[in-house]
């Protein structure tokens, strides 16, 4: 007979998985924050990770459009 999973048990398992994911993210950020020259500031790592999640604002197709975007940047 297959084992039945109740909603509360499933919710508990989901919460446990969410905690594990948070711990893994913390570990990855901690590992990414180190290099040969020293340790990056946690605020820098957080900013970089947030930036990587954002939608791309500008695109370019060739060197001229890239340079144009650089000169138009305020």
């Amino acid at each position: 007979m297959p084992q039945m999973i109740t909603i509360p048990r499933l919710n508990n398992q989901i919460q446990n998985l969410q905690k594990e994911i948070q711990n893994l993210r913390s570990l990855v950020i901690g590992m990414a924050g180190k290099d040969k020259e020293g340790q990056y500031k946690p605020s820098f790592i957080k900013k970089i990770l947030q930036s990587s999640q954002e939608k791309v604002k500008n695109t370019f197709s060739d060197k001229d459009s890239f340079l144009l975007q650089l000169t138009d940047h305020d």
Side-chain angles (χ1 to χ4, degrees), residues 26-69:
S26 177
L27 175 66
V28 169
I29 289 172
M31 292 174 69
K34 297 178 182 177
D35 70 355
K36 296 179 213 171
E37 298 171 357
Q39 193 169 2
Y40 292 114
K41 292 182 181 179
S43 59
F44 172 75
I45 297 295
K46 185 176 180 180
K47 183 177 178 181
I48 294 299
L49 290 175
Q50 286 174 345
S51 295
S52 70
Q53 301 286 326
E54 293 176 3
K55 190 173 182 177
V56 176
K57 296 177 184 175
N58 298 315
T59 59
F60 60 92
S61 55
D62 57 23
K63 64 181 182 180
D64 293 328
S65 62
F66 175 69
L67 291 173
L68 182 62
Q69 286 183 22

Side-chain angles (χ1 to χ4, degrees), residues 15-26:
Q15 288 176 348
N16 289 339
L17 287 172
Q18 288 173 331
K19 288 177 186 176
E20 285 186 40
I21 289 171
Q22 287 175 337
N23 290 336
L24 288 171
R25 282 183 181 155
S26 177

